[in-house]
Amino acid sequence: MKIINLLYIKYILSLLICLLSSSVVFFIFSLLGNLDEKYLFNVIMKVSFYNSLQILSYVPAFIFLLSVILFTIFLRSKNEIIIVKSYMNIKMLAVFFLPIVIFFTILELNKNDFGLLLEDLKKNLIKDRSEFNTKIIINNNTNSKSYIILKNVNPDDTSNAEYRSYDLLDKKIKLAQFSDNLIYSNNTLVAKSYTQYQNDIIKDYQISKSINFDASNFIYQNFLVKDISINDQIKIDKKLINTLSFFIFFFSYVFLTFLNKDTVSTKNSLKKPIFICITILIYSFFIFNNSLSFYKQEFEFLASFIASLFFLKVYLNE
């Protein structure tokens, strides 16, 4: 148990160093990029800080890999890795690294949500100085999807307000509406005139139309994109399962490959495991973040399968 506690202390120290150093680098580059903006300096500092956190939230796998490399270097520097390998078998190592693997896997699966949250915080900082105030509301159903876009909708002044809505069925636009002649009355957004696209016909309507959603719930909220979908059906998300499987296998492989018997001797270089892990990481970026419309799920499944093979190889060698 003392060895596991020692490993956690070493790893947390490595992780903090990686987070701090990466944050400083991202903050400096973000600050340099924001100095041309016409904001107060304290606003620029805060926005740059949120930018650095946002970048970190998009690359948890990279931060994980850096922290494990630094963690291994710390253990090798005082030959502590020899003690670890002498007294800990594969099951005890799993007790140590599985919580970390699960934590980073959750971060990886939710990184887009964290990024949007930080984006909203940045918007709130500069909202009074922004030229536009845009809100996007998404509603997903089984076969249909709807988008509502509100631009410059202010209850006290709707002179520059715009409303757009798009109803999609089987990935095709069935109904679209646009209006820049809006009023806000009795907690209801009303279009005094609007343009509508339906059945391949575009037509202007010079009649009033109440926007059929509760605008008061969204106008006073600060967000850029909001998903209001309600889905009572339990669906098996193949992409989520593939992504979850890949990163659990990959993160476990990273730990085992840097804590295997080949890394015990300081004479053995870490270049080979670092190169392999970076290659897999770059590979995962292209597989899980591409816009391919053909064989996408097959490629993602293949990535998870390859990661499992790498994990089994290092596991069996132990």
Side-chain angles (χ1 to χ4, degrees), residues 15-27:
L15 179 60
L16 290 176
I17 292 174
C18 290
L19 288 174
L20 183 60
S21 57
S22 300
S23 298
V24 170
V25 172
F26 295 149
F27 176 79

Side-chain angles (χ1 to χ4, degrees), residues 85 89-91 93 97 249 252-253 255-257 259-262 307-318:
K85 295 300 295 180
N89 55 27
I90 187 67
K91 293 181 179 179
L93 280 176
F97 69 73
F249 284 127
S252 300
Y253 166 77
F255 259 118
L256 290 179
T257 198
L259 293 178
N260 66 18
K261 54 190 178 183
D262 295 331
S308 67
L309 292 181
F310 274 99
F311 169 75
L312 285 175
K313 177 184 176 182
V314 71
Y315 176 82
L316 294 175
N317 286 338
E318 285 292 306

Side-chain angles (χ1 to χ4, degrees), residues 81-285:
I81 194 169
I82 298 177
I83 301 174
V84 172
K85 295 300 295 180
S86 299
Y87 291 93
M88 295 185 70
N89 55 27
I90 187 67
K91 293 181 179 179
M92 294 181 66
L93 280 176
V95 172
F96 159 67
F97 69 73
L98 274 180
I100 301 173
V101 166
I102 293 172
F103 173 74
F104 273 96
T105 302
I106 293 173
L107 287 181
E108 187 67 37
L109 293 176
N110 295 278
K111 62 182 181 181
N112 291 330
D113 294 333
F114 293 138
L116 290 176
L117 177 62
L118 292 167
E119 185 68 28
D120 289 340
L121 292 175
K122 290 195 300 182
K123 293 289 183 181
N124 292 339
L125 276 176
I126 60 177
K127 63 180 179 180
D128 293 332
R129 301 169 179 84
S130 293
E131 184 179 357
F132 302 109
N133 179 19
T134 303
K135 294 180 172 66
I136 301 174
I137 302 164
I138 303 174
N139 189 6
N140 280 317
N141 294 314
T142 304
N143 297 317
S144 63
K145 180 182 290 188
S146 67
Y147 295 90
I148 295 174
I149 302 174
L150 303 176
K151 189 173 182 180
N152 297 327
V153 177
N154 187 333
D156 301 322
D157 181 14
T158 58
S159 58
N160 296 317
E162 292 182 5
Y163 164 82
R164 292 181 175 87
S165 69
Y166 304 92
D167 293 338
L168 283 73
L169 182 62
D170 296 329
K171 299 182 180 181
K172 294 182 180 180
I173 297 178
K174 296 298 181 181
L175 176 66
Q177 294 178 339
F178 168 78
S179 176
D180 58 359
N181 188 8
L182 302 169
I183 59 173
Y184 188 72
S185 177
N186 297 324
N187 293 327
T188 303
L189 194 63
V190 179
K192 299 174 67 176
S193 62
Y194 62 97
T195 301
Q196 179 171 289
Y197 166 84
Q198 190 175 25
N199 298 326
D200 296 328
I201 298 174
I202 301 176
K203 187 175 181 180
D204 293 325
Y205 292 88
Q206 300 299 322
I207 57 175
S208 296
K209 170 184 172 65
S210 297
I211 307 302
N212 58 350
F213 79 106
D214 192 359
S216 61
N217 286 338
F218 306 108
I219 289 178
Y220 295 103
Q221 295 181 13
N222 294 317
F223 64 88
L224 180 62
V225 179
K226 193 177 190 69
D227 192 337
I228 60 172
S229 307
I230 299 176
N231 194 351
D232 296 329
Q233 296 181 353
I234 299 176
K235 290 185 176 180
I236 298 176
D237 192 335
K238 295 180 181 178
K239 179 179 176 61
L240 177 63
I241 294 175
N242 274 329
T243 308
L244 178 67
S245 302
F246 175 85
F247 282 105
I248 287 179
F249 284 127
F250 173 61
F251 290 155
S252 300
Y253 166 77
V254 171
F255 259 118
L256 290 179
T257 198
F258 280 99
L259 293 178
N260 66 18
K261 54 190 178 183
D262 295 331
T263 61
V264 172
S265 175
T266 55
K267 296 179 180 179
N268 293 331
S269 175
L270 296 178
K271 292 181 180 179
K272 182 178 179 181
I274 290 175
F275 175 76
I276 294 174
C277 291
I278 290 178
T279 302
I280 298 175
L281 186 60
I282 295 173
Y283 169 74
S284 70
F285 176 80

